[in-house]
């Protein structure tokens, strides 16, 4: 019986894997230039972490988590996002006592029980980062500029950046009251989730995907018109900072983000090429999350980007992320003695960082030449009894078909000189 992969998951084969690797390398380079160090946290954590950190009324926690009991009856969950785990790690590892801000980036698989569609999978990859310990809006600007720079390094310079502010604890209290007042008359027509949101977490009402609820949300009072003085001030710092770096943005007053922990600045980078949602990268400030998860009051900000959505974006722009490498040398062999000489030459050259291929399948000469052609090899040499006896063999430049006679014991030297 042939077994399929579970819905919403996929194998990543070598050419595709190369793209992931390149994205990771470019991202990690940009992060390092901004002073970020890499962190890896467990793929599964106690369920409680996400319930508290992401929020029980969010879609992610209420509908999308892969939660299970392990053999010791502990409730564990495959991480649906990266921030909660990094915050937990920041607290557990005493990073509060380090010089602040502490800046961490990551790349890893995330798991959500989703309706699978274009750009929406059950296992997907995120790159992202978190910065702890700065409440200044200047770090908001720095992080947005980092994302922008990363996109530019990939050859993308025209995604739409949307920003908004969803206020702090203080102005949210007032805003929630206004929101509930507004929603009061529509309550009976809302979906069952929104009825719960109304009492538990009114801000979530604005993020509902049900059509009728979206209609109601459309005319709801806007957070932007209800910010306290400090939040307003911070938001202008963000706008000015982006202007200063000449990074274009649009203010989207209805942007609230799907996770509970955000405060003040929230942002998204949007594209038309990645399916219904269009969000490639999303992030924002979370000034109460560290405390909520049991740490000292510490401001934080971060973002996460879906790598599969990013790859779709690159593909639709015909930006090639593969960096296919071809063997510099193929040594075709006839007989065991030739093979042992060839394998020694290959071993030496590989040690020198040169990609060499030899026959390990017992193919005949003709089949070996066919193989070398398929592999786009640069040079081919053939060694058999005669070549060994005379120490003379032919090296062929595959592109031009030109052949030259060289000494068998000089193969390595010649390849090292001509590898480029
Ligand atoms: P959406 O509104 O598209 O469901 P979200 O608000 O749930 O997104 P976040 O939790 O902010 O997304 O995740 C950040 C990014 O991770 C998204 O912008 C997207 O690029 C990617 N992402 C989220 N969920 C998925 C998924 N199921 N499959 C692939 N990528 C995803
Ligand atoms: Mg989602």
């Amino acid at each position: 019986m042939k077994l399929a992969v579970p819905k919403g998951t996929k194998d990543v084969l070598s050419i595709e894997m190369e793209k992931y690797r390149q994205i990771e390398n470019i991202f990690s380079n940009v992060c390092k230039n901004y002073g970020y160090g890499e962190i890896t946290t467990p793929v599964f954590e106690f369920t409680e972490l996400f319930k508290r950190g992401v929020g029980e009324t969010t879609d992610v926690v209420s509908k999308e988590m892969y939660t299970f009991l392990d053999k010791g009856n502990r409730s564990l969950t495959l991480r649906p996002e990266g921030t909660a785990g990094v915050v937990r790690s920041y607290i557990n590892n005493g990073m509060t006592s380090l010089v602040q801000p502490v800046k961490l980036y990551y790349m890893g698989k995330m798991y959500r029980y989703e309706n699978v569609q274009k750009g929406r999978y059950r296992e997907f990859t995120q790159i992202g980062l978190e910065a702890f310990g700065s409440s200044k809006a200047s770090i908001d600007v720095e992080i947005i500029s980092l994302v922008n720079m990363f996109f530019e390094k990939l050859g993308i310079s025209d995604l739409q950046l949307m920003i908004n502010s969803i206020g702090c604890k203080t102005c949210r209290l007032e805003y929630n009251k206004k929101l509930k007042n507004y929603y009061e008359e529509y309550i009976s027509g809302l979906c069952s989730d929104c009825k719960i949101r109304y009492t538990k977490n009114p801000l979530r009402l604005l993020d509902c995907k049900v059509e009728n609820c979206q209609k109601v949300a459309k005319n709801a009072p806007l957070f932007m018109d209800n910010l306290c003085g400090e939040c307003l001030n911070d938001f202008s710092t963000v706008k000015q900072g982006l202007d200063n770096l000449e990074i274009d943005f649009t203010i989207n007053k209805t942007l609230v983000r799907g996770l509970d922990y955000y405060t003040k600045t929230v942002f998204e980078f949007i594209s038309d090429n990645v399916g219904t949602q269009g969000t490639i990268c999303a992030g924002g400030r979370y000034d109460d999350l560290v405390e909520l998860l049991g740490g000292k009051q510490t401001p934080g900000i971060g973002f996460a980007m879906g790598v599969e959505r990013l790859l779709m974006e690159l593909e639709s722009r015909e930006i090639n992320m593969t960096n296919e490498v071809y063997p510099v040398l193929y040594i075709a062999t006839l007989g065991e003695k030739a093979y042992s000489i060839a394998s020694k030459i290959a071993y030496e050259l590989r040690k020198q960082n040169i990609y060499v291929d030899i026959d390990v399948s017992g193919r005949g000469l003709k089949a070996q030449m066919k193989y070398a052609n398929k592999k786009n090899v640069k040079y081919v040499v053939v060694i058999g009894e005669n070549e060994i006896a005379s120490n003379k063999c032919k090296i062929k430049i595959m592109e031009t078909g030109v052949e030259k006679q060289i000494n068998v014991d000089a193969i390595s030297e010649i390849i090292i000189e001509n590898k480029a």
Side-chain angles (χ1 to χ4, degrees):
M1 192 178 71
K2 212 157 115 184
L3 288 174
V5 295
K7 189 172 169 186
T9 71
K10 65 170 181 184
D11 298 318
V12 182
L13 308 181
S14 64
I15 291 184
E16 186 77 1
M17 199 60 225
E18 186 65 29
K19 300 180 188 171
Y20 279 82
R21 192 70 68 216
Q22 286 233 44
I23 285 175
E24 186 178 19
N25 287 343
I26 295 170
F27 182 61
S28 97
N29 269 335
V30 174
C31 285
K32 281 178 182 152
N33 290 335
Y34 275 82
Y36 285 75
E38 189 168 9
I39 184 170
T40 302
T41 60
V43 166
F44 56 85
E45 299 257 10
F46 289 118
T47 304
E48 189 59 25
L49 173 68
F50 302 113
K51 279 195 179 167
R52 261 164 57 192
V54 179
E56 301 224 37
T57 51
T58 59
D59 277 359
V60 169
V61 171
S62 63
K63 298 178 191 154
E64 299 170 0
M65 292 212 298
Y66 277 96
T67 297
F68 58 96
L69 289 178
D70 76 356
K71 290 186 175 156
N73 247 359
R74 302 167 192 94
S75 179
L76 301 174
T77 294
L78 297 183
R79 62 177 180 204
E81 55 92 61
T83 304
V86 177
V87 171
R88 179 204 47 66
S89 176
Y90 174 82
I91 299 167
N92 289 1
N93 292 291
M95 289 188 239
T96 337
S97 58
L98 302 176
V99 182
Q100 309 291 307
V102 170
K103 297 170 161 184
L104 304 164
Y105 75 92
Y106 61 84
M107 167 154 174
K109 300 274 188 179
M110 306 295 157
Y111 299 85
R112 295 184 193 178
Y113 195 80
E114 298 250 29
N115 271 327
V116 176
Q117 49 187 287
K118 193 178 172 199
R120 194 176 292 287
Y121 314 103
R122 292 185 175 170
E123 181 185 63
F124 59 99
T125 315
Q126 282 185 343
I127 49 181
L129 60 78
E130 319 293 343
F132 300 98
S134 169
S135 57
K136 287 274 177 254
S138 33
I139 200 165
D140 306 20
V141 176
E142 195 180 83
I143 283 177
I144 295 173
S145 81
L146 183 157
V147 182
N148 197 63
M149 185 176 298
F150 170 66
F151 282 131
E152 279 183 357
K153 298 241 176 217
L154 292 170
I156 303 173
S157 56
D158 55 351
L159 290 180
Q160 201 189 352
L161 165 62
M162 299 208 293
I163 62 169
N164 190 25
S165 173
I166 54 171
C168 62
K169 245 198 283 203
T170 324
C171 45
R172 195 169 293 184
L173 273 178
E174 281 306 305
Y175 177 67
N176 278 349
K177 270 189 219 154
K178 278 199 185 168
L179 205 54
K180 282 178 90 164
N181 264 341
Y182 165 80
Y183 266 89
E184 211 172 349
E185 61 177 295
Y186 302 105
I187 243 181
S188 57
L190 297 177
C191 73
S192 56
D193 283 341
C194 276
K195 283 180 180 139
I196 298 169
R197 291 174 181 135
Y198 178 82
T199 44
K200 279 199 170 167
N201 189 353
L203 196 60
R204 280 271 77 76
L205 290 163
L206 301 174
D207 203 33
C208 185
K209 307 263 186 334
V210 177
E211 202 185 328
N212 191 46
C213 300
Q214 281 189 340
K215 266 188 211 151
V216 181
K218 224 176 197 166
N219 297 316
L222 295 165
F223 216 130
M224 189 52 73
D225 304 332
N226 293 278
L227 292 176
C228 69
E230 184 188 298
C231 288
L232 258 183
N233 217 0
D234 284 349
F235 194 62
S236 3
T237 306
V238 172
K239 290 185 288 185
Q240 280 163 18
L242 292 174
D243 281 339
N244 180 43
L245 299 176
E246 296 174 25
I247 296 171
D248 289 337
F249 61 89
T250 312
I251 297 167
N252 178 347
K253 293 185 179 181
T254 60
L255 183 68
V256 288
R257 305 287 313 109
L259 313 177
D260 254 6
Y261 44 65
Y262 289 110
T263 52
K264 294 188 176 176
T265 312
V266 288
F267 64 91
E268 290 190 356
F269 282 83
I270 316 270
S271 149
D272 302 330
N273 303 318
V274 291
T276 47
Q277 202 59 29
T279 306
I280 297 184
C281 171
R285 189 166 264 292
Y286 47 80
D287 286 346
D288 308 312
L289 185 58
V290 178
E291 198 176 10
L292 185 75
L293 292 176
K296 253 181 24 190
Q297 207 291 323
T298 310
I301 174 165
F303 73 81
M305 186 178 310
V307 176
E308 288 75 15
R309 288 193 197 175
L310 176 59
L311 286 171
M312 284 166 63
E313 180 65 29
L314 290 164
E315 199 164 310
S316 70
R317 288 166 185 258
E318 295 178 2
I319 297 174
N320 184 15
M321 292 302 292
T322 51
N323 193 6
E324 240 187 305
V325 284
Y326 307 114
V328 176
L329 174 68
Y330 183 80
I331 312 171
T333 54
L334 280 163
E336 268 171 37
K337 209 163 165 200
Y339 176 77
S340 53
I341 292 174
S343 63
K344 247 184 167 162
I345 296 172
Y347 189 77
E348 279 313 311
L349 287 173
R350 286 164 177 165
K351 213 190 282 179
Q352 305 281 334
N353 246 337
I354 296 172
Y355 178 12
V356 179
D357 209 354
I358 54 176
D359 175 55
V360 285
S361 313
R363 290 189 171 99
L365 187 58
K366 219 170 144 190
Q368 288 187 51
M369 295 311 285
K370 215 166 150 187
Y371 171 92
N373 252 324
K374 275 196 186 144
K375 287 278 181 178
N376 271 325
V377 177
K378 192 164 182 203
Y379 303 108
V380 173
V381 294
V382 182
I383 344 185
E385 296 288 332
N386 293 343
E387 285 77 9
I388 297 167
S390 62
N391 191 29
K392 296 265 182 262
C393 68
K394 279 187 181 147
I395 184 164
K396 185 171 177 181
I397 305 167
M398 296 301 275
E399 205 181 57
T400 56
V402 173
E403 283 188 325
K404 258 170 63 182
Q405 200 175 59
I406 59 171
N407 288 348
V408 173
D409 59 11
I411 293 175
S412 296
E413 207 179 303
I414 288 165
I415 293 299
I416 290 169
E417 272 168 24
N418 297 288
K419 66 181 177 189

